[in-house]
Amino acid sequence: MGTSSDIFATQTAGLRSLLGCGNLHTFDFVEGGVESPPAPGIAALFPNTDYYAYYDPKSPQSILQALDDLSAYLTDEGPFDGVMGFSQGAALASMLISRFCNNASVSNKEASHTYTASSSPFSFAIFICAAAPLCEDSLRSGTIKHLDPDERGGKEEDRKASSTFKLPIPVANIVGRKDPDLAASLRLAGLCQGPSVLLDHGAGHEIPSGSMLVLRQMAECVEEVIAKATLVQ
């Protein structure tokens, strides 16, 4: 939160170039719908612009609206092969994937499995310094509950919340060891049920762009996940 789709495009330009942007892959950038103060350090790098968030993290209704808005965007502009999100955007994308998979479970109760990768709106996901996903059932009841894989062995209500989160597709979880929110990124990584790859880019809550070595490592991580998605299909 506190950036914009244009800023995200600039921050990921190096990574997207290594992935063959414009030749192998095309990208859509989805703007957040909530005005926000700039994230720490962003105003100095990107002055004189507007800053947004996808949702107000303290408002269950705002978070649910963001999920509805992103779902509508997919309907209007999709389909898309994959999704890439940073911080709050990664959490939102993961929750939308889970929503689609849960809806498929409800509509296909007689199937041998309750959810598969084919239930997802995306074949793969790239999460960079992700925020922790939230329990949608709790949001609908007006409360905010961060999901945690460690709670699967805890209280019944915590086990139920974590068990409803479904992320069966290949995922690249790119984290930063110096990120003050590293624990949140690792929680999302721990909730992945499909084949996933974990990469530490070695920095903070950011998308590194200054080191070609790190950019190549990130690109290789993404390419590995895309390859896994191709095998799953």
Side-chain angles (χ1 to χ4, degrees):
M1 55 190 295
T3 64
S4 70
S5 59
D6 287 342
I7 292 173
F8 186 58
T10 299
Q11 291 172 321
T12 57
L15 173 61
R16 291 185 294 111
S17 176
L18 290 176
L19 293 172
C21 179
N23 297 317
L24 295 177
H25 308 290
T26 58
F27 293 80
D28 280 19
F29 295 91
V30 183
E31 192 66 88
V34 178
E35 291 187 5
S36 171
I42 286 293
L45 295 172
F46 301 95
N48 305 317
T49 187
D50 296 320
Y51 310 99
Y52 299 95
Y54 288 108
Y55 53 79
D56 177 350
K58 297 180 180 180
S59 167
Q61 185 54 46
S62 175
I63 300 166
L64 290 170
Q65 185 62 56
L67 283 165
D68 291 343
D69 290 345
L70 185 55
S71 181
Y73 185 90
L74 294 184
T75 299
D76 294 340
E77 304 294 336
F80 297 96
D81 293 314
V83 62
M84 178 167 64
F86 172 76
S87 192
Q88 191 186 72
L92 180 65
S94 73
M95 289 186 284
L96 186 68
I97 293 167
S98 182
R99 172 189 280 192
F100 269 76
C101 292
N102 275 311
N103 287 345
S105 301
V106 171
S107 63
N108 194 23
K109 290 183 178 179
E110 296 180 0
S112 57
H113 350 352
T114 56
Y115 64 93
T116 65
S118 62
S119 308
S120 167
F122 308 107
S123 297
F124 63 91
I126 306 157
F127 297 147
I128 306 172
C129 294
L134 304 165
C135 175
E136 186 168 352
D137 287 344
S138 295
L139 293 172
R140 294 191 183 285
S141 68
T143 60
I144 294 175
K145 177 177 177 51
H146 292 86
L147 297 174
D148 190 328
D150 292 338
E151 292 179 342
R152 286 173 173 163
K155 298 178 181 179
E156 182 178 355
E157 62 182 285
D158 293 334
R159 291 199 306 271
K160 182 178 179 181
S162 293
S163 67
T164 61
F165 185 80
K166 297 177 171 59
L167 194 54
I169 61 173
V171 176
N173 291 288
I174 301 175
V175 305
R177 73 185 70 167
K178 298 177 183 178
D179 185 352
D181 298 321
L182 174 60
S185 299
L186 294 176
R187 281 201 295 272
L188 178 51
L191 288 162
C192 293
Q193 294 127 349
S196 61
V197 179
L198 180 65
L199 173 69
D200 176 8
H201 62 46
H205 195 72
E206 60 190 272
I207 304 172
S209 60
S211 167
M212 183 55 68
L213 173 61
V214 171
L215 284 174
R216 287 198 181 105
Q217 290 173 337
M218 292 171 63
E220 289 171 2
C221 177
V222 172
E223 289 168 346
E224 181 178 347
V225 164
I226 292 174
K228 290 178 184 291
T230 302
L231 292 174
V232 168
Q233 290 175 345

